[in-house]
Amino acid sequence: MISVLYVSIYIALLAAFTGYEVITRVPVILHTPLMSGSNFIHGIVLVGAMIALGLAQTPLEQAIGFIAVVMGALNVTGGYAVTERILQMFEKGKSKKGN
Amino acid sequence: MISVLYVSIYIALLAAFTGYEVITRVPVILHTPLMSGSNFIHGIVLVGAMIALGLAQTPLEQAIGFIAVVMGALNVTGGYAVTERILQMFEKGKSKKGN
Amino acid sequence: MAVTVAVAKEKSEGEKRVALVPEVVSRLTKSGVRVLVESGAGEEAYYTDGAYSSAGAEIMHDRKSILSQADVLLVLQPPAPAEIALLREKAIIIGFMSASKNVESIRKMKERKLTAFALELVPRITRAQSMDALSSQATIGGYKAALVAADYSPKLLPMLTTAAGTIRPAKVLILGAGVAGLMAIATARRLGAMVEAYDVRRAAGEQVRSLGARFLELQIDAEAAGGYARELTPEEKQKEQAMVNEAVSQADAVITTANIPGRKAPRLISKEMVSGMKPGSVIVDLAAETGGNCELTKAGGVVVENDVTIVGPLNLPGQIPFHASQMYSKNLQSFLGLVIDREGKLAVNFDDEILKGSLMVHDGEIRHAQTKELVEGRQ
Amino acid sequence: MAVTVAVAKEKSEGEKRVALVPEVVSRLTKSGVRVLVESGAGEEAYYTDGAYSSAGAEIMHDRKSILSQADVLLVLQPPAPAEIALLREKAIIIGFMSASKNVESIRKMKERKLTAFALELVPRITRAQSMDALSSQATIGGYKAALVAADYSPKLLPMLTTAAGTIRPAKVLILGAGVAGLMAIATARRLGAMVEAYDVRRAAGEQVRSLGARFLELQIDAEAAGGYARELTPEEKQKEQAMVNEAVSQADAVITTANIPGRKAPRLISKEMVSGMKPGSVIVDLAAETGGNCELTKAGGVVVENDVTIVGPLNLPGQIPFHASQMYSKNLQSFLGLVIDREGKLAVNFDDEILKGSLMVHDGEIRHAQTKELVEGRQ
Amino acid sequence: MFPDIYDPVYVVTIIFFIVGLHRMSHPRTARSGIMWAGGAMAIAVLVTFFYPGMHNLTLIVVGIAIGGSIGWIAAKRVAMTDMPQMVAIYNGMGGGAAGAIAAVELLTSASNGAYSALAVAGAAIGGISISGSVIAFLKLQGWMRQKPITYPGQQPVNIIVLLATIAFGVLVLFPGIAGFNTLLLFFIFAIGYGILMTLPIGGADMPVVISLYNALTGLAVAMDGFSLQNYAMVVAGTLVGAAGSLLTLLMAKAMNRSIGNVLFSAFGAKEEENANITGSMKPVQPEDAAVMLAYANSVIIAPGYGMAVAQAQQKVKELVDLLESKDIPVKFAIHPVAGRMPGHMNVLLAEAGVSYDHLFDRDEINADFPNTDVVLVIGANDVVNPAARREGSALAGMPILDVDKAKNVIVFKRGQGRGFSGIENELFYADNTKMLYGDAKDSVSKIIQELKKL
Amino acid sequence: MFPDIYDPVYVVTIIFFIVGLHRMSHPRTARSGIMWAGGAMAIAVLVTFFYPGMHNLTLIVVGIAIGGSIGWIAAKRVAMTDMPQMVAIYNGMGGGAAGAIAAVELLTSASNGAYSALAVAGAAIGGISISGSVIAFLKLQGWMRQKPITYPGQQPVNIIVLLATIAFGVLVLFPGIAGFNTLLLFFIFAIGYGILMTLPIGGADMPVVISLYNALTGLAVAMDGFSLQNYAMVVAGTLVGAAGSLLTLLMAKAMNRSIGNVLFSAFGAKEEENANITGSMKPVQPEDAAVMLAYANSVIIAPGYGMAVAQAQQKVKELVDLLESKDIPVKFAIHPVAGRMPGHMNVLLAEAGVSYDHLFDRDEINADFPNTDVVLVIGANDVVNPAARREGSALAGMPILDVDKAKNVIVFKRGQGRGFSGIENELFYADNTKMLYGDAKDSVSKIIQELKKL
Ligand SMILES: NC(=O)c1ccc[n+]([C@@H]2O[C@H](COP(=O)([O-])OP(=O)(O)OC[C@H]3O[C@@H](n4cnc5c(N)ncnc54)[C@H](OP(=O)(O)O)[C@@H]3O)[C@@H](O)[C@H]2O)c1
Ligand SMILES: NC(=O)c1ccc[n+]([C@@H]2O[C@H](COP(=O)([O-])OP(=O)(O)OC[C@H]3O[C@@H](n4cnc5c(N)ncnc54)[C@H](OP(=O)(O)O)[C@@H]3O)[C@@H](O)[C@H]2O)c1
Ligand SMILES: NC(=O)c1ccc[n+]([C@@H]2O[C@H](COP(=O)([O-])OP(=O)(O)OC[C@H]3O[C@@H](n4cnc5c(N)ncnc54)[C@H](O)[C@@H]3O)[C@@H](O)[C@H]2O)c1
Ligand SMILES: NC(=O)c1ccc[n+]([C@@H]2O[C@H](COP(=O)([O-])OP(=O)(O)OC[C@H]3O[C@@H](n4cnc5c(N)ncnc54)[C@H](O)[C@@H]3O)[C@@H](O)[C@H]2O)c1
């Protein structure tokens, strides 16, 4: 039976490869939106923050957890909105409005 | 704690994505060598065959296991040699010799 | 016995071409043919006597003895009747016969029982492409026609944006997109003009566009056998006239090449149309010889009417004599392949499709119906 | 008081151009200038009297009264001395002065205290580009020179692979790659020739190559001030001669445009070199006017020597009169901007660099040193 | 000895496999890709000897030796042209191994729900893969009729066999009901389905089918991996399963076919025979034309009227520039009557800026064709028609460009159009000729695009 | 309620994330990519409320509401040009959240070897990421000097702080020795290092640095995921970590810089000031030029002598064809004295087959420039030099093409060469001008290649 450690390693490894392969051969213009988009994706940290706050016991933990949730939420919504706006420019015709 | 099932799903999922992403945007000429190359890679079945034979108890199991090892070995060495020969054509100058 | 092929200096006016060039002479002499060349025959096409004699020809100064020794006489235009009288009986003449202009010569050939092959009658089958002197000369004619148009035009053909203003490109219209017309299109385009073309044959449309020019479409299809055009119905003529009229009035230069073999050239540009043209425009009428596509054309002359210059050149290929002779000579070389065998002996197979098609006079008879009518009808 | 600008019909032989075209006339009249045009002045360039009068010009039949009313007379070539006598005192003449050919006229201008601006003296500064009539006319000359070469050649310029053999492309050599030379290169290349060019100025190399032609390199750099070439040293001349010699002997057509302003044209092709050329080759000598780049050139004539045709055309731009006039006229329009203000009044600022440079005669004095020597030295 | 060494080694193996596959998907690095994968495989096999509780080591070594040497020698010996069937047969072996492993698994473990189900799935897929691959091999090798083998009611029969396979597979999961015979029948149906499924597929479609079986084998291996709890097999198998599936789609797409069409339409079953001309027209894709050019040592372009119609001259010039930048010399063969007017090709090529020293007429170039790797016939037809050499043909007597003597010929044309003469061109059916259909300008553009990627 | 619903939901989330990222990496599908990712995120957040044993639900909702509304509103309000700093600050928030989670984790769990170590690593990386991102934000926003901030001994100081971070991190793992203060100091050093590391980096390099911090945040999230045993976080974090790292490399490469060079060289610290002309020359890569063209609604090409020297006319024609095939109208602006002879451009463009109706002279086209999205100045210099409008300049009095009035100008030239007049061209320094260096023919070719990929 394989250990949890190796399972985790497989998962991390494959996730890393997936991330890498997705990005290879991406045109230069997409650098910024992709950076912004992946910034949004690590907003999943909000889920961790919610769990941390959800399981927090002491006020200190609650305080830190609360801060984490606020920051995580900022990451999520801000990241989404920014990416969305940047990518709007890629819709032809609408491109002028963004500016 | 996450279940083994989900871990397995993550692994299969990510492996599938990796396989998919590696192949997208591959030129037509590479179709055959890639088919051959990935044929070689599933030669890893030899490892399974070895384990099956290694852990086999009854003569029937041993017999099937032995067949599995032979076939797996065929897959591995044949797959390698064929891929190698196909890919040799991609080295310029040598291209004429292969024919 | 080896055949004797002779080339005399062309006598017709303005004819600078020569029927054989030294390169072809040397091929003939190598296969055992005796080649006689009149001194100075190639002079105006810039082929020297020296070049001929080093190619193996015998240079002769006496025109009469050349004619009297020839088994095969190669010409651009048929000789005068008096000279035909000098040829031996059964001698072969090969060249353009232009029967309508040379009725007397043809009659003389008949009387003298000569054999005459008319190159303009060579059927346009694949095998005969290398003997197609009409095409080879039309190629040169089309090129030269574009140059003549550029030359007579008071305008530049290409567009030029300069510190002294922008010159708009000239509009050149080509009427008749046969061999000459296509070459005129190509040459005018090379010079930077905006080129439009028109032809009654629908197939010409694709060909015109394949040279990057615009084709004026009229919904008529009038292709007859052999790639030649048939004559148009009156109604078609009218529609065509309207479209051509409009295009002509816009053009800075018009080059007309429309021909219907064996007939008078179709009239495409009337006097009134000329009066509707822009001052300074030019018409080059390649059909001048057969009556002209323009009403005002004076064959061999230049007419200026209402500030429009109408050029009716005769024998344009003759103005590029070096290459025109070279190509004509190559055509003859191929044709001779049907008349002379590999050992240099005469071997005429009168059943050959090409020889049959181009045979004009033989054994005291005129074999080409239209010519027969022309010559004997007048008798 | 509004200024009166006059254009008379050019009288010099073969001059078909006109100094103002209707388009420019209408710009002038719109700004209040009175424009007088002699009847028929634009005729040979295909600009009709009607076009002039609808552009706002007064058409006059009496040449004398035109001249006597003019504040500013626009010309291509200076009028004859007798006509200059008809002009008012202080009248301004603008145009090519070609002093060496018009000594008497210049003298008369001086006597009559006229002001004469010579367009050929306009300094080649950026601001003056739109007044650079030398360039505009040379552009047309270069184009026409290539056409003339193609016209006189007994050969096709482009390569053609046909059923009647392959025609090799003609080799065209351009000597002198100034404005005219570059245009000749471009035009010959358009026609499909293989083009080589040579110039003493090294900078011309890049320019020649930028048109896709080959540049004959000789390790000399001889650019003098203003983009004009200096005269060569004897040793340089010799080396150059050897290289040019070789290239000339290979060429089917040579177009020479080498000039050194104010001097006799350099001699690039000697009689012996001509005798080394291929039969049927052509030389077009654009420097015929200033003595010719070829020893055998006859200005204004055609010489055939040793099967080589040498054309020495005078006033080639004049053979494309429509566009040559248009460009010249645009040049004059720009120049008039320095002489006439926005309200259509005379306002000459003699300190302006361009006016200073091009001023030839003023106030009873010849201001241009070389011309002064020419005119007064002879006195 | 080295207790848990195999786990980290398997991780490394996987990394190497992925890197290898990645490299194999770029022409420049492809060669090294198989090395990476090969190295990883060697290590993985070695380390498996140290798997806990291994018996039968001699048997294992013997098995590897037998299979390994046969595989190696056969692969090295066969002709280059027989490679596709070799891939098929080796893939089948992999499927067989996967099936056998599943069988052992099903025999030993007295069932463990999910794992057994995965083993059954692996066994079924492996069985289909081995028999299908073998049929593919036989067809390609010519030991079996290449044409689709069809009979009435074929589809229903296939579906019934497939359902039977599934049914017995489910049965196997209930050890109470099922015995050894159930298992045997299950395998027989699976193997049978593989055979039946492959019979109606024609030779030309085989590469797609082989790729499909390749993906299936990958899947089977992954399933075995699950049931063995061997993640190296899971990952490698899934990798191949995914990559192989995509590849199958891409290959079908490159042939302008859908997968369904390939599998179920018995394409080519009713192919007509051409009375007169032997051989068949072989279409080629711009991508493959690009590769042929990229690896050529000499190229001649024979343009014709079609180039003029397509106004492709500028693109052709660009292609020439590109090839020359790769040190591949290119010449133009200009036939005297190519096009529709004398000098037609000259005019167009001059317009596109092709220099004169690239142009050769018939007499100058005909001797070069036999030594030329690739000839591009761009919109020419009559002027390259070998019929002209035959007395009695409408083209008889016209000297042609001997492009048919070159090693490879690619003909650019839009469709079934004939030339000016209106007669059929047997060049198009020659063994060394491939047809690139489409407007010449578009086709040349595509080749340029592909060439730039190589 | 729904007992283990979050596990399958997380799997789906991951699938959506990967699909989203995949789509974002192609221009055509990019827009939809963010939608996929957004949808997945919404579901993941919702389902987390059903995580077993959750307390403080109100607090969570309040926190999300506060953070969410600030983030949303700020992102929607700021100017488009300020987007990079917004990415920086939101990324920093993510890093901060990751650090905070790790802190909670370290405070609660009384240590479990590997998991704690991962939490510490997550905390450190998160701390560096938040402070670094904030500095990047401040610099880009102009609230801090954009130029690199350097001082003697900067490198040693940075290294010492980094070592201290690591040391305290290790200490934290030993609850026996370490207390709350250790943890605090650890965070202070990590945050400090982020600040110090970012100070010496100049404004132009910021995008690369932001991308780096983005990758780091991803890593930190993955580590938190490990220690929380939340594989959605692990996968998403690793995905971003890997993609972000590669992206960072690609971005640095696109700027012709190495990562090391960006991070440690204080690039631009000694930038010289140009005495006369304001602004600076901004080089652009063919890839980006291609994108500007692809998304333009109107393009004008102003050719000059450089196009002739490069003999780029055929390529330029090809570019025009390509743009027109994408429905982007292209015009040529032909200046009367462009080149070295009258009509120089006409001759070349005619040779390349550009039709006359594409050509416009100065008077016809000057009014169009202000409404033109992109002007390509291909080897022209004097004829587009605004100095000509100034009295006293050597070019004074020559009417020029008003390309400087267009929205974007791309100037093609090889290097610092001047025009025929020999004077400097202030157009090249204008805000809306970018310089594409290299031979014009090569540059146009590259643009064509890139355009075809879009
Ligand atoms: N040169 C002359 O002076 C002259 C004059 C008159 C006649 N001819 C005759 O013309 C013929 C010339 O032979 P050739 O080989 O040049 O041409 P061809 O035999 O006429 O064949 C043209 C080929 O081009 C293809 N095609 C047409 N448009 C195309 C496009 N847009 N893209 C790709 N392919 C295209 C056609 O097939 P698809 O339709 O399937 O695309 C056809 O196979 C000879 O028979 C000659 O005798 C020549
Ligand atoms: N048209 C005429 O009749 C005529 C006659 C004589 C003089 N002129 C004068 O010539 C000038 C023409 O202006 P212009 O704007 O066309 O040209 P320009 O001012 O001479 O500038 C040419 C530009 O092209 C660049 N360049 C040169 N080779 C290149 C290559 N291979 N690839 C990319 N870029 C290249 C040069 O910069 P790099 O060196 O950095 O690459 C330079 O910036 C005017 O000043 C005009 O007065 C015109
Ligand atoms: N089979 C061959 O090998 C071969 C060889 C040469 C030419 N051809 C074909 O024959 C065709 C005609 O050749 P040609 O140049 O000798 O013809 P031509 O000189 O007899 O006539 C010139 C052109 O004028 C056109 N024309 C006739 N009446 C017209 C009218 N009223 N208005 C406008 N145009 C009119 C004709 O259609 C023809 O294209 C060519 O286009 C060519 O395709 C075939
Ligand atoms: N600054 C401007 O705006 C402007 C305007 C027009 C011309 N120019 C420059 O001035 C140059 C000369 O112009 P042009 O055409 O009026 O000159 P031109 O007519 O005086 O002379 C023609 C050419 O002959 C060349 N030449 C002289 N002696 C020669 C010899 N022995 N052998 C070969 N060539 C010889 C000259 O170098 C010149 O290029 C042009 O090339 C152009 O670049 C500049």
Side-chain angles (χ1 to χ4, degrees), chain C residues 348-362:
Chain C
V348 188
N349 169 12
F350 285 100
D351 286 338
D352 183 285
E353 188 183 356
I354 296 172
L355 293 189
K356 221 155 68 181
S358 57
L359 187 62
M360 182 167 264
V361 183
H362 185 53

Side-chain angles (χ1 to χ4, degrees), chain F residues 295-309:
Chain F
Y295 294 96
N297 289 323
S298 53
V299 173
I300 293 179
I301 296 179
Y305 185 53
M307 183 185 81
V309 171

Side-chain angles (χ1 to χ4, degrees), chain E residues 289-315:
Chain E
V291 174
M292 289 173 70
L293 288 171
Y295 293 97
N297 289 322
S298 53
V299 173
I300 293 179
I301 296 178
Y305 184 55
M307 183 185 82
V309 172
Q311 288 281 292
Q313 59 269 25
Q314 311 267 7
K315 286 281 157 200

Side-chain angles (χ1 to χ4, degrees), chain A residues 40-53:
Chain A
F40 166 68
I41 287 177
H42 67 52
I44 192 77
V45 75
L46 173 57
V47 164
M50 287 166 72
I51 295 173
L53 177 53

Side-chain angles (χ1 to χ4, degrees), chain D residues 124-126 129 132 134-135 138 175-180 182 198-201 204 207 226-230 232 240 257-261 266 268, chain F residues 340 420:
Chain D
R124 286 187 157 176
I125 60 175
T126 304
Q129 280 176 328
D132 186 350
L134 274 186
S135 280
L175 299 178
V179 176
L182 289 175
Y198 166 72
D199 194 299
V200 274
R201 288 178 304 116
Q207 296 171 13
Y228 292 107
R230 67 163 165 82
L232 298 174
E240 174 193 286
T257 75
N259 257 321
I260 303 161
L268 302 178
Chain F
R340 287 290 184 277
F420 184 79

